[in-house]
Amino acid sequence: MTISNIQRRRFDSLIIGAGGGGLRAALQLAEADASVAVVSKVFPTRSHTVAAQGGMNAALANVLPDNWHWHMFDTVKGSDYLGDQDAIEYMCRAAPKVVYELEHFGVPFSRLDNGRIYQRPFGGQSQNFGGEQAARTCAAADRTGHAILHSLYQQNIRAKTHFFDEYFAVDLLKDDDGNILGAFVFDIHTGEELIIEAKTTLLATGGAGQLFRTTTNALINTGDGMGMALRAGIPLQDMEFFQFHPTGIAGRGMLITEGARGEGGYLVNVNGERFMERYAPKAKDLASRDVVSRAIETEVREGRGCGPDKDHVMLKLDHLGVDVIQKRLPGIRQTCITFLGMDPAEEPVPVYPTAHYTMGGIPTDRHGQVVIPVKDTPEEAVTGLYAAGECACVSVHGANRLGGNSLLDILVFGRAAANHIIDYLKENHYHRPLNEKSVEKAYQRLHRWDDTGEGESVEKIRSDLKRVMEKNCGVFRTQDVLDNGIKEVSALHEKLKHARIKDHSAMFNTARVEALELENLMDVALATVYSASARTESRGAHSRVDFQERDDMNWMRHTLYSLEGRKLDYKPVRTKPMTVATFPPKARVY
Amino acid sequence: MRFRIYRYSPEKDQKPFMQDYELNNIVPGMMLLDALLLLKEQDPTLAFRRSCREGVCGSDGMNINGTNGLACITPLSELKEPVEVRPMPRLPVIRDLIVDMDSFYKQYRDVKPYLIVKDPLPEVELQQTPEQRDKLDGLYECILCGCCSTACPSFWWNPDKFLGPAALLQAARFIEDSRDQATEERLDALDDPFKLFRCHTIMNCIQVCPKDLNPTKAIGNIKKIMVKKSL
């Protein structure tokens, strides 16, 4: 097999990733009669959106008074003032419409007595710019992600979207001027390679939770799109901000939704004390996730943890009664029964902060266009390339994402990117010529794994990486620990170059897929430790023991990490919203 | 702990065979998927699908000691040794524990598994009472793992004509949805001797469903609605 006889196919638009972001974009494009190909390494309903539990924020005001401007304030504050306020305004304004569209697509939202969509309180939500708790999270019990992902896939069946299921994207294709031309992929079933040429390519590949040993994330969340972007010369933004969800099942990592606290659950330490009252007197257990995760770690560090090793705290739900739990939280009840052999309607659940969400990612504007610094312009669009969802950094989450804003992000910006692509396609009728050099590079990357003989083991490097990241890039960070992280990840990066796989078969070779995934993870890990080591302040999820204060003078700016030379660069936060006044940085108390 | 696992690689094996494995590092609380991941470290050629590790993505349906289930939520402590693991029955095997699910997905597509609303859509949500919404519980939670359909003898005998429990559960999910306006068409499309009526209430589907759903009951309800309609 040589490059010249690899099959080539052409589409108007290519989408890589079939979670909520990719499927929402695909639907919009298919309905606009664009030819669209969706490439996904798993069958679409296996994508990690399926695991989202608690819900999706939108100021519908179905339960308590609300409006998009309050939602915007909460999101800016939650981001610790690192979020871009134009994108946040856009997202919060679009939220109600996007939820209604989903409902029309068939999403089985839970309902209120008056027939409208059920909404629950979630962390970091307020009425009236920091006032009373709001109830903004639209939910389908605690299976909202499943309900949304399946409905979107179903609508794509109706719209006859073209799916390449179980195809793995190796790399983006680009020409010498930096225009993106599509991607080099292979069929996991047969091993057969395929060049997909497209006028636009949308990356919607999700996050990189597999960086860490204990994570709520699926095994497929390996930062593939971020790795592809880095290798295409695109920097990653704000990678030092990784969210640790306060309530993963201790030691195992399965997610217990924030909705559990939204429905009235609360955390206690070994003394049975509701310790969140000390850390967040007003919002208590519904403070932002970064605040609650730090509180739990502090309780454990100071010896007030639960269990024989005093290494976790307890989430109390039994006072809610079995009816509320069965009605509103049936999924996590089942998860507790399966993995802990206990019923949360009867006993408290052992929980601990667990790696959950990649706030950083591929830099985009609010239309989903990937933007990079070119000479004196901090944000120049890359022709033909878009990104949306967890792999992207718009940035609406800044330094800390609010619960319920992730499903919202993927749907709003999946849709926005598709709308921009539709406009782009109206002006751009032809494919740009394919660049053979770029195909050759992707081909080499894939076939490097054909090398036989003895070498480092992929499994071993992967488990070492996850351990190193957990140890050196966790909830609390110091210069020494982060610098050590750079050293250790760099050593693993070097080892990976000499790794070999033992399976060289063509058909459904999962060892090869895992090797390619590890390469992506490794580049994302480097971006994360380098970005974190440089930021000498505490902001949102990036919490430095040696620099405990937020430093707006020096650090209210976005980090950009480039693969070449592992170089760091910075760009300003977009503090000017689309239409309303800027929310200036304030002390962040809950 | 001892395992016997179905192996087949079309590139090198004339026919499938069972391979014996042993694991010494079993700790309490481990699921079958954890064991398979450890075995894959020993033998990287062992192939299976997996993703979420918690029973929501539906990737790792397989036949475990003779019964279909999800590896990620099957505790090792409940399994008799040697644990015999095979691909889900009746579907073509691509490799090892990985089956070709195309025909299963086609049945799903055949029931038009999407909401059809013919009236103009309002600018807000369509209204649905909690009681109407409750009817979707037990139907919408399906994760398309394939455990039920591939455990169903009617599906084994007539995979091309009988839609199978998973697809019929989806049909019921839309027939029962108060917002859907294609009930008549959906019922008409199922009114044939095979698609729906080949369900002989053998009830394997209920036994194996990892989400505790009840396709047999859903199928029975569709039949009831059809009878009511014909009167």
Side-chain angles (χ1 to χ4, degrees):
Chain A
M1 176 62 99
T2 59
I3 290 173
S4 56
N5 48 26
I6 294 173
Q7 201 200 344
R8 299 177 183 206
R9 294 184 65 173
R10 282 185 165 187
F11 293 87
D12 288 338
S13 188
L14 166 63
I15 295 171
I16 304 176
L23 290 185
R24 184 65 190 81
L27 183 59
Q28 196 83 348
L29 285 161
E31 299 213 307
D33 286 330
S35 77
V36 50
V38 180
V39 165
S40 171
K41 65 179 177 179
V42 292
F43 180 75
T45 64
R46 321 288 180 217
S47 307
H48 193 53
T49 300
V50 80
Q53 298 175 354
M56 165 171 177
N57 296 338
L60 306 184
N62 283 0
V63 174
L64 291 171
D66 208 355
N67 70 57
W68 67 265
H69 202 190
W70 301 349
H71 181 189
M72 178 181 171
F73 168 79
D74 291 339
T75 303
V76 172
K77 178 181 171 187
S79 82
D80 219 348
Y81 300 91
L82 192 72
D84 289 331
Q85 297 194 17
D86 60 336
I88 295 175
E89 178 178 346
Y90 179 80
M91 177 176 81
C92 297
R93 276 180 180 273
K97 182 176 169 55
V98 168
V99 169
Y100 294 141
E101 279 175 353
L102 284 175
E103 197 279 333
H104 297 164
F105 294 157
V107 174
F109 283 110
S110 299
R111 297 288 170 155
L112 298 161
D113 285 339
N114 65 6
R116 307 200 68 169
I117 292 171
Y118 173 73
Q119 296 188 282
R120 61 163 56 111
F122 243 55
Q125 297 181 352
S126 72
Q127 301 179 48
N128 225 343
F129 313 104
E132 294 300 300
Q133 175 73 41
R136 190 176 290 141
T137 306
C138 308
D142 60 353
R143 303 186 177 106
T144 316
H146 170 282
I148 289 175
L149 186 68
H150 280 254
S151 296
L152 283 173
Y153 181 60
Q154 292 164 346
Q155 288 297 325
N156 273 286
I157 291 175
R158 181 185 54 75
K160 298 195 168 61
T161 302
H162 197 113
F163 283 98
F164 289 89
D165 294 336
E166 298 186 318
Y167 276 66
F168 190 88
V170 177
D171 258 322
L172 294 169
L173 301 175
K174 67 168 191 173
D175 64 20
D176 294 339
D177 298 326
N179 304 306
I180 301 299
L181 312 171
F184 183 87
V185 309
F186 70 89
D187 180 351
I188 297 173
H189 284 210
T190 60
E192 217 163 285
E193 291 138 12
L194 174 66
I195 292 164
I196 298 183
E197 292 184 73
K199 296 174 212 166
T200 64
T201 301
L202 170 68
L203 293 169
T205 52
Q210 284 299 316
L211 282 174
F212 296 90
R213 198 168 58 105
T214 311
T215 172
T216 63
N217 280 206
L219 292 161
I220 56 171
N221 292 6
T222 51
D224 298 335
M226 297 175 188
M228 280 188 266
L230 279 172
R231 286 190 298 276
I234 290 151
L236 293 186
Q237 180 176 325
D238 295 342
M239 290 303 290
E240 61 271 45
F241 300 101
F242 201 96
Q243 180 165 81
F244 293 83
H245 195 290
T247 59
I249 291 182
R252 311 233 21 178
M254 283 75 197
L255 175 67
I256 302 293
T257 174
E258 189 165 306
R261 282 170 284 137
E263 297 290 345
Y266 56 85
L267 297 161
V268 293
N269 61 19
V270 71
N271 305 320
E273 182 203 5
R274 281 192 71 170
F275 59 86
M276 279 313 300
E277 291 176 346
R278 279 188 277 118
Y279 296 87
K282 200 160 111 217
K284 302 188 181 83
D285 295 84
L286 288 179
S288 259
R289 287 180 178 171
D290 55 339
V291 175
V292 182
S293 284
R294 278 194 290 275
I296 296 173
E297 281 230 13
T298 305
E299 289 301 295
V300 167
R301 280 175 185 220
E302 293 179 356
R304 293 187 293 278
C306 305
D309 298 324
K310 292 178 164 285
D311 59 355
H312 58 264
V313 298
M314 290 294 187
L315 172 63
K316 216 171 125 30
L317 298 171
D318 53 314
H319 60 289
L320 299 179
V322 68
D323 293 344
V324 170
I325 290 179
Q326 192 50 40
K327 183 94 195 151
R328 301 296 182 205
L329 305 164
I332 63 125
R333 185 184 190 199
Q334 195 54 52
T335 297
C336 290
I337 292 170
T338 305
F339 288 97
L340 295 170
M342 50 80 59
D343 185 346
E346 287 164 10
E347 291 171 72
V349 187
V351 294
Y352 197 69
T354 303
H356 185 58
Y357 187 85
T358 322
M359 260 84 69
I362 304 158
T364 74
D365 63 14
R366 67 172 190 269
H367 309 290
Q369 290 191 100
V370 173
V371 289
I372 59 172
V374 177
K375 293 195 185 110
D376 295 335
T377 6
E379 298 184 326
E380 188 87 21
V382 177
T383 308
L385 187 62
Y386 295 77
E390 194 171 341
C391 74
C393 186
V394 184
S395 149
V396 286
H397 310 306
N400 171 69
R401 173 173 73 75
L402 292 189
N405 269 355
S406 176
L407 286 173
L408 180 61
D409 170 15
I410 64 177
L411 293 156
V412 166
F413 292 104
R415 184 175 176 277
N419 283 337
H420 198 277
I421 290 169
I422 291 165
D423 288 342
Y424 177 89
L425 293 173
K426 281 185 197 143
E427 309 282 315
N428 295 271
H429 298 280
Y430 306 107
H431 289 79
R432 291 168 190 273
L434 190 62
N435 180 294
E436 303 292 335
K437 244 187 346 207
S438 144
V439 176
E440 173 73 30
K441 229 173 116 186
Y443 182 89
Q444 292 303 340
R445 172 174 182 238
L446 174 63
H447 286 280
R448 162 256 181 281
W449 291 103
D450 295 343
D451 294 351
T452 53
E454 287 303 306
E456 301 280 348
S457 119
V458 167
E459 295 75 30
K460 175 78 170 59
I461 298 174
R462 183 176 57 213
S463 70
D464 286 351
L465 177 67
K466 289 156 78 103
R467 199 178 33 77
V468 166
M469 288 300 288
E470 186 152 289
K471 189 170 64 131
N472 295 287
C473 217
V475 171
F476 286 110
R477 302 164 172 190
T478 64
Q479 197 65 54
D480 285 355
V481 168
L482 289 168
D483 289 346
N484 193 49
I486 291 183
K487 219 173 72 194
E488 294 203 37
V489 177
S490 299
L492 291 170
H493 179 263
E494 195 53 36
K495 267 192 184 175
L496 183 56
K497 288 186 193 160
H498 308 291
R500 297 282 184 278
I501 52 175
K502 294 198 174 77
D503 184 357
H504 296 282
S505 59
M507 294 182 75
F508 232 110
N509 184 338
T510 47
R512 179 170 51 197
V513 169
E514 287 178 19
L516 293 163
E517 289 175 333
L518 181 59
E519 288 180 327
N520 290 328
L521 268 183
M522 192 62 80
D523 284 339
V524 174
L526 281 172
T528 306
V529 286
Y530 271 94
S531 304
S533 162
R535 185 176 284 268
T536 49
E537 65 154 356
S538 287
R539 184 185 296 271
H542 179 66
S543 191
R544 295 280 303 247
V545 179
D546 42 359
F547 297 94
Q548 296 195 4
E549 297 303 313
R550 191 177 76 198
D551 177 1
D552 291 325
M553 190 70 98
N554 294 303
W555 285 107
M556 208 171 113
R557 53 183 186 163
H558 295 296
T559 306
L560 294 171
Y561 167 91
S562 302
L563 190 64
E564 203 184 326
R566 300 183 185 173
K567 197 173 61 100
L568 291 173
D569 194 0
Y570 294 91
K571 69 175 182 184
V573 173
R574 297 171 76 95
T575 50
K576 199 175 156 3
M578 292 162 65
T579 66
V580 292
T582 298
F583 289 111
K586 283 201 300 194
R588 191 162 154 258
V589 279
Y590 284 100
Chain B
M1 191 162 190
R2 287 172 303 124
F3 297 85
R4 297 202 74 199
I5 301 183
Y6 178 102
R7 300 300 311 269
Y8 174 63
S9 168
E11 289 161 81
K12 58 183 177 67
D13 302 322
Q14 294 290 315
K15 54 177 200 228
F17 62 97
M18 298 301 288
Q19 185 167 349
D20 291 317
Y21 291 95
E22 191 144 355
L23 269 182
N24 300 317
N25 41 349
I26 303 285
V27 293
M30 263 193 180
M31 299 290 167
L32 175 61
L33 178 64
D34 299 315
L36 289 174
L37 292 168
L38 289 173
L39 289 173
K40 191 168 171 62
E41 284 179 20
Q42 278 179 28
D43 177 0
T45 65
L46 176 64
F48 50 90
R49 293 188 178 103
R50 82 289 179 277
S51 180
C52 75
R53 322 152 300 159
E54 54 185 39
V56 296
C57 79
S59 296
D60 61 352
M62 49 189 77
N63 189 271
I64 306 155
N65 281 347
T67 306
N68 287 353
L70 298 180
C72 59
I73 54 171
T74 301
L76 289 175
S77 58
E78 289 174 9
L79 297 175
K80 213 175 80 210
E81 289 185 62
V83 182
E84 227 177 71
V85 190
R86 296 169 181 271
M88 289 191 291
R90 192 60 181 82
L91 295 176
V93 175
I94 297 173
R95 174 176 174 169
D96 298 342
L97 302 174
I98 297 169
V99 290
D100 183 343
M101 294 181 71
D102 280 357
S103 60
F104 172 80
Y105 295 139
K106 184 180 176 305
Q107 291 174 321
Y108 174 66
R109 292 195 299 270
D110 280 349
V111 300
K112 298 202 166 129
Y114 40 82
L115 192 73
I116 298 173
V117 181
K118 296 170 182 171
D119 292 343
L121 289 163
E123 70 286 8
V124 294
E125 68 266 59
L126 296 158
Q127 309 276 298
Q128 189 171 48
T129 65
E131 294 71 33
Q132 289 170 328
R133 169 59 184 75
D134 283 349
K135 290 192 166 177
L136 305 183
D137 283 342
L139 301 174
Y140 84 94
E141 302 94 327
C142 172
I143 56 173
L144 297 178
C145 63
C147 286
C148 61
S149 290
T150 61
C152 170
S154 295
F155 171 81
W156 298 340
W157 297 321
N158 292 294
D160 47 340
K161 294 186 195 141
F162 174 55
L163 286 169
L168 289 168
L169 187 84
Q170 289 297 324
R173 181 246 171 276
F174 289 98
I175 289 168
E176 297 284 0
D177 195 322
S178 59
R179 299 170 295 173
D180 191 84
Q181 297 180 325
T183 313
E184 291 284 313
E185 294 94 311
R186 292 182 190 280
L187 293 172
D188 288 348
L190 295 173
D191 198 358
D192 114 344
F194 281 94
K195 284 179 184 165
L196 171 78
F197 286 97
R198 278 292 140 144
C199 168
H200 296 311
T201 56
I202 299 165
M203 299 200 277
N204 282 3
C205 52
I206 309 173
Q207 220 187 353
V208 299
C209 176
K211 305 309 284 182
D212 294 327
L213 307 180
N214 189 332
T216 307
K217 187 170 146 211
I219 294 167
N221 283 345
I222 300 177
K223 288 180 183 167
K224 257 189 249 163
I225 295 169
M226 275 187 176
V227 172
K228 224 193 285 176
K229 197 186 99 184
S230 67
L231 289 177

